[in-house]
Amino acid sequence: MRTSQYILATLKETPSDAEIISHQLMLRAGMIRKLASGLYTWLPSGLKVLRNVEKIVREEMDNAGAIEMLMPVIQPADLWQESGRWEQFGPELLRITDRNNRPFALGPTHEEVITDFVRKEINSYKQLPITLYQVQTKVRDEVRPRFGVMRAREFTMKDAYSFHLSEECLTQTYQRMHQAYCNIFERLGLDYRPVLADTGSIGGSLSHEFHVLAESGEDAIAFSDASDYAANIEKAEALAPKTERAAPSKELNSFATPEAKTIAELKANHGVKPHRGVKTLIVYGAADENERRGLVALIVRGDHDLNELKAQSHDLVHSPLEMAKEQDIISAIGARPGSLGPVGLNMPVIVDHSAAVMADFVAGANKDGEHYSGINWGRDVTDYVVADIRNVVEGDPSPCGNGSLHIKRGVEVGHIFQLGTKYSESMNAGVLGESGKNQMMSMGCYGIGVSRIVAAAIEQNNDDYGIKWPLALAPFSLAIVPMNMHKSHRIPEIANNLYSEFKKAGIDILFDDRKERPGVMFNDMELLGVPYTLVIGERNLDNNQVELKNRRTGEKRMFSIDDAVTEIC
Ligand code: ATP
Ligand code: MG
Ligand code: MG
Ligand code: MG
């Protein structure tokens, strides 16, 4: 590809509404553009990376025996009513009606559709087990779309579903999928961890999340330093040995912030002292008429049982004392009366161990139109909350009995579930069993956030100059940068020749044939993260040589022009 015929779309400035590095770099490197909140256009180089991820995911799914298919994005409401999730899913499910006023949903996931397909097509135990997958657009009306494609409202997911006659068979496939996921993340060159997760509202018996380790991650994961034990923070909390805790104190400290403030200001003005036994942070948000969100936090001091607090929290914040404060808060942030409540969550309260939720809240604290600010404050508070989680969990021995627990931040890039018969029972998906009787199928589901992986990979592979793609993900493996091409006769000739030869050799190559200063070209190739750059300059040509630069290591090597293609390919 020649840059003169391409759309490079690189930006010099960091866009002000991009808070985390991957979002900034994806915009600056010309990989994505925002259409509207949580909706992104993939530009050609971004799309190439996305396709690279898809390719690896498909290969490993195929290797694991899964079969690809494709289901519609638009799903009839009656399937969701059958499973009971039409009610349960809440506002994240984007609902539409057709011209005949029939209700539909834009699929956030496809358990209902696949179960409907399988109950119609699979009738006998002889056709089981089977694992089907697709790579498809998912739609979720996220309460706070942010971080670019990391949390988008439309995104690409690989979702696989397996069907079995027995739980043992499900377990086998689950293990095979677990291994396939490990293979995928290895091949993507990512530092990742599979962790135990709660099955939560999805139900089922076993679940793992796959997290790419990154400081900007919205989740916290806990793992042992001396065993394989690893769990997400909610699961770690649930598994942690219970210690005696004092009863919750009623001593509350509350404050309202019309705008995001720094933790320093919080400390100064509200006496918030991190690491001083503050165990629980309860966060409330409120929205004014324009849906601008303010942040309200109630800090509960002392050592509390989190579950007990959760149960009591509704009463706590609605006690007369707190109602008065609620009034103050409402006038302080100009909130709509009665609107005070946790932002976007159908829960009365959020407690501190959900660092992800904290980050969400705080980042959205100064929501101005579609731009979020206050991320620094968010990070500070989140760090502070994570420090607090450490007080609760770390030190505690690992539930497996080996070593102690450590906490790290992660980006959830994959999630697998043993669902059991949850969907097959509610949707009556049975097969003729060996005994001749109808038998419910056991089911597993396995999701990977394909588009999120692109962002997560950038979180782990960047420097001051831009993205440092691992070869497997790079939009181009090699760039040719001819220096001052228009001032020379031999440079364009050699560059054009090499370009054709590399193309012939099957190398995905970007030929920077713009009439730009070398500095501009180098900057763009580094920003875009092309792993290798072949520099063609007058001085080296005098010795019949070209220079190859490695983006990741910075290492430079000289080749004779005649050997360049064979040496590099
Ligand atoms: P999260 O906790 O981040 O909201 P989730 O648990 O709701 O994710 P799953 O239902 O487990 O997501 O979906 C499978 C995968 O899809 C996730 O592990 C994640 O990688 C990806 N994913 C989920 N929501 C989004 C989103 N809004 N944007 C991009 N990828 C997403
Ligand atoms: Mg979600
Ligand atoms: Mg999750
Ligand atoms: Mg999940």
Side-chain angles (χ1 to χ4, degrees):
M1 186 55 67
R2 290 169 188 269
T3 47
S4 62
Q5 289 157 27
Y6 197 60
I7 173 162
L8 215 46
T10 50
L11 306 173
K12 281 202 189 66
E13 305 297 326
T14 301
S16 61
D17 59 340
E19 297 149 349
I20 61 168
I21 192 73
S22 58
H23 188 192
Q24 293 170 359
L25 288 174
M26 286 184 82
L27 290 166
R28 285 192 53 213
M31 293 176 64
I32 53 165
R33 287 292 183 266
K34 177 171 161 179
L35 174 66
S37 174
L39 302 175
Y40 287 86
T41 297
W42 289 82
L43 276 64
S45 51
L47 183 64
K48 290 191 81 173
V49 180
L50 187 70
R51 294 285 184 250
N52 288 341
V53 178
E54 285 179 15
K55 180 172 179 284
I56 292 177
V57 168
R58 281 197 169 90
E59 283 172 11
E60 291 302 327
M61 280 299 111
D62 295 346
N63 283 342
I67 311 160
E68 185 167 3
M69 61 189 291
L70 189 62
M71 293 173 269
V73 173
I74 303 177
Q75 311 181 1
D78 50 9
L79 287 182
W80 285 74
Q81 275 149 358
E82 245 189 282
S83 73
R85 289 209 292 183
W86 185 254
E87 304 298 331
Q88 275 167 28
F89 219 86
E92 224 171 83
L93 188 66
L94 196 60
R95 296 155 214 248
I96 54 167
T97 45
D98 71 2
R99 62 170 74 206
N100 299 313
N101 228 14
R102 273 191 293 259
F104 289 84
L106 301 185
T109 177
H110 279 72
E111 281 83 7
E112 282 80 1
V113 176
I114 193 81
T115 306
D116 180 62
F117 170 78
V118 167
R119 73 179 165 184
K120 288 172 178 157
E121 299 298 325
I122 306 266
N123 312 311
S124 155
Y125 73 94
K126 290 181 189 152
Q127 295 163 283
L128 297 180
I130 190 160
T131 305
L132 299 161
Y133 80 95
Q134 64 173 348
V135 179
Q136 172 64 299
T137 298
K138 294 284 186 277
V139 180
R140 294 184 184 183
D141 198 358
E142 295 279 350
V143 58
R144 253 181 307 287
R146 59 192 197 129
F147 299 160
V149 299
M150 195 76 104
R151 183 170 297 286
R153 294 200 291 175
E154 190 182 298
F155 59 97
T156 307
M157 198 203 286
K158 183 287 300 172
D159 44 327
Y161 306 88
S162 67
F163 294 84
H164 313 265
L165 208 60
S166 68
E167 289 293 313
E168 299 76 63
C169 182
L170 166 61
T171 303
Q172 276 170 19
T173 298
Y174 184 86
Q175 278 161 358
R176 199 174 323 138
M177 283 291 150
H178 191 289
Q179 185 56 51
Y181 274 43
C182 293
N183 298 347
I184 288 168
F185 296 117
E186 298 283 345
R187 283 182 64 185
L188 292 168
L190 295 172
D191 186 9
Y192 74 99
R193 271 212 170 68
V195 302
L196 270 175
D198 256 330
T199 46
S201 59
I202 304 261
S205 51
L206 187 62
S207 173
H208 283 88
E209 287 170 356
F210 289 76
H211 286 265
V212 162
L213 300 183
E215 270 300 301
S216 60
E218 292 186 87
D219 294 330
I221 57 171
F223 56 91
S224 163
D225 54 9
S227 79
D228 288 342
Y229 174 83
N232 71 15
I233 198 72
E234 292 80 10
K235 186 76 177 172
E237 264 268 328
L239 294 174
K242 295 280 167 278
T243 48
E244 281 291 313
R245 291 185 204 275
S249 116
K250 292 267 173 189
E251 193 192 314
L252 292 172
N253 186 1
S254 74
F255 57 84
T257 56
E259 293 168 347
K261 288 210 166 71
T262 64
I263 190 81
E265 278 175 283
L266 282 176
K267 280 185 220 167
N269 299 336
H270 302 284
V272 176
K273 295 193 190 73
H275 313 296
R276 284 275 194 90
V278 177
K279 286 291 184 196
T280 303
L281 242 158
I282 300 178
V283 183
Y284 263 57
D288 67 11
E289 278 91 331
N290 302 319
E291 288 301 311
R292 280 191 3 190
R293 294 171 200 284
L295 179 85
V296 179
L298 304 174
I299 294 190
V300 182
R301 296 168 183 285
D303 205 358
H304 305 294
D305 182 299
L306 292 179
N307 288 328
E308 210 174 303
L309 249 178
K310 240 187 199 171
Q312 292 189 5
S313 56
H314 194 75
D315 295 341
L316 279 178
V317 291
H318 287 94
S319 69
L321 169 80
E322 291 314 310
M323 283 308 279
K325 294 252 167 76
E326 195 169 310
Q327 276 310 319
D328 293 346
I329 289 158
I330 286 171
S331 45
I333 63 172
R336 207 170 42 228
S339 72
L340 196 66
V343 178
L345 284 174
N346 302 323
M347 282 162 57
V349 79
I350 293 110
V351 285
D352 72 348
H353 62 300
S354 178
V357 179
M358 267 306 297
D360 233 27
F361 266 89
V362 181
N366 192 16
K367 187 171 186 283
D368 176 14
E370 298 195 324
H371 302 289
Y372 299 102
S373 57
I375 186 65
N376 291 331
W377 192 63
R379 288 307 310 273
D380 285 349
V381 174
T382 314
D383 285 346
Y384 154 61
V385 173
V386 167
D388 202 43
I389 300 167
R390 289 206 173 96
N391 288 342
V392 179
V393 182
E394 209 166 23
D396 288 355
S398 169
C400 69
N402 288 325
S404 54
L405 280 185
H406 292 268
I407 312 267
K408 278 208 172 161
R409 286 169 183 285
V411 176
E412 183 192 322
V413 286
H415 200 166
I416 59 177
F417 280 92
Q418 289 195 15
L419 292 170
T421 54
K422 181 184 155 95
Y423 292 90
S424 44
E425 258 163 37
S426 58
M427 296 182 66
N428 193 22
V431 287
L432 204 62
E434 260 173 301
S435 60
K437 276 204 211 122
N438 189 48
Q439 197 179 325
M440 286 303 142
M441 284 181 268
S442 285
M443 189 172 161
C445 73
Y446 318 89
I448 278 196
V450 174
S451 47
R452 183 180 281 184
I453 284 175
V454 176
I458 297 175
E459 289 293 320
Q460 282 191 349
N461 293 283
N462 69 78
D463 62 12
D464 290 347
Y465 305 101
I467 306 169
K468 299 195 292 186
W469 286 118
L471 209 51
L473 287 179
F476 299 96
S477 351
L478 180 69
I480 293 186
V481 176
M483 294 206 282
N484 302 314
M485 189 158 72
H486 49 295
K487 291 184 191 159
S488 149
H489 285 296
R490 52 179 182 167
I491 290 186
E493 193 188 312
I494 290 165
N496 274 302
N497 278 346
L498 283 174
Y499 175 55
S500 332
E501 282 184 50
F502 278 115
K503 272 209 321 191
K504 250 187 261 157
I507 298 277
D508 205 350
I509 187 165
L510 186 63
F511 177 14
D512 202 348
D513 62 346
R514 293 175 295 173
K515 284 186 184 161
E516 284 286 0
R517 283 179 293 115
V520 171
M521 294 154 96
F522 289 135
N523 286 351
D524 276 348
M525 294 310 116
E526 290 191 330
L527 181 59
L528 190 56
V530 184
Y532 295 98
T533 302
L534 194 69
V535 186
I536 306 175
E538 282 289 345
R539 215 180 315 141
N540 286 333
L541 285 188
D542 289 341
N543 303 323
N544 201 38
Q545 285 196 315
V546 286
E547 181 187 83
L548 186 75
K549 232 178 119 175
N550 183 321
R551 173 72 180 89
R552 290 181 81 81
T553 62
E555 183 200 355
K556 293 175 179 171
R557 283 165 68 194
M558 300 293 257
F559 293 104
S560 126
I561 297 171
D562 311 316
D563 299 340
V565 177
T566 38
E567 285 283 345
I568 294 168
C569 290

